[in-house]
Amino acid sequence: MAMTADGKTDSVERRGARISSDADEARVQRLRAESDAVLVGGRTLLAEDPRLTVRPQELVAERVGRGEPPQPMKVAIVSELLDMPGGGLPDPSRFLSDGGGRVVVVTSGRSSGAALARLRDRGAEVVVLGRDRVDLVAALAWLRRAGVRRLLVEGGGTLVAALLAAGLVDELRLYVAPLILGGADTPTPVGGPGIQRGSAVELSLEDVHADPDGGVVLRYLVTRPSA
Ligand SMILES: NC(=O)c1ccc[n+]([C@@H]2O[C@H](COP(=O)([O-])OP(=O)(O)OC[C@H]3O[C@@H](n4cnc5c(N)ncnc54)[C@H](OP(=O)(O)O)[C@@H]3O)[C@@H](O)[C@H]2O)c1
């Protein structure tokens, strides 16, 4: 995830402000190219309609050379699909259409049959796992059965908090941009209800990389999931 020096992942408008630099975007492209699937949460999906594609042709060629599909699978976790044309996604939708790869939406029993059908009509595979919210353990097991070994989670903070709480995160990469956006309620890399100090997720710092433009990349391994 990309955050500002004050720990924000979006501006107060919550429309997916660009926080990554060009150098960071290039790193994200490589991470995507090395992943079997790329995952986002439902609010990120609706706020940004993200493309989640690998764009440099040399990275696409490397994937194909390894016998992989040209694009990683795109996956979204959405509690309730909106009961409206297109499930709340624009038409055309970058998430659903760009790249031409496999697109999976995992949702819960709260989504209506009509909403599932509308999204399927637009080419997505729709999977129902969980009653009121998506069962994340079941979702990751489904992805593993679908051949996903390396999953890149691109946020947002609600999804990341839930994955951390379930002990499902191995590694965390944070890009820190030389920017301040402020706002008491603007999103951060890890949202959710919060964790008491005694149960904090513990990390080991594996690498620090400073870009010439003032950006910093922190790479951590999760050494103890939330207790
Ligand atoms: N700078 C960055 O790197 C970056 C990256 C991504 C996103 N963002 C920003 O982050 C913001 C969105 O983040 P967000 O935290 O609001 O939402 P989010 O994490 O993108 O979306 C979480 C969604 O997943 C649903 N969900 C279903 N099952 C879940 C489960 N078991 N656990 C957790 N969530 C589950 C939640 O539904 P319910 O809670 O309704 O049940 C919620 O709608 C946007 O402003 C976006 O632009 C920034």
Side-chain angles (χ1 to χ4, degrees), residues 6-23:
D6 60 330
K8 305 300 179 183
T9 56
D10 198 355
S11 66
V12 69
E13 299 114 299
R14 285 184 183 253
R15 280 200 293 264
R18 186 171 194 254
I19 291 171
S20 288
S21 61
D22 290 347

Side-chain angles (χ1 to χ4, degrees), residues 73-76 95 102-106 124-127 142-143:
M73 182 193 292
K74 302 184 198 183
V75 188
F95 173 76
R102 200 169 165 188
V103 178
V104 177
V105 176
V106 188
E125 289 171 61
V126 185
V127 188
W142 189 94
L143 289 173

Side-chain angles (χ1 to χ4, degrees), residues 35-38 50-54 60 63-64 68-76 93-105 119-120 122-126 142:
S35 301
D36 300 309
V38 182
R51 285 185 277 183
L52 304 182
T53 48
V54 176
V60 174
R63 288 181 59 86
V64 173
E68 296 166 5
Q71 293 290 330
M73 182 193 292
K74 302 184 198 183
V75 188
S93 153
R94 294 183 296 213
F95 173 76
L96 292 176
S97 308
D98 282 21
R102 200 169 165 188
V103 178
V104 177
V105 176
L119 215 50
R120 286 186 178 125
R122 296 184 69 183
E125 289 171 61
V126 185
W142 189 94

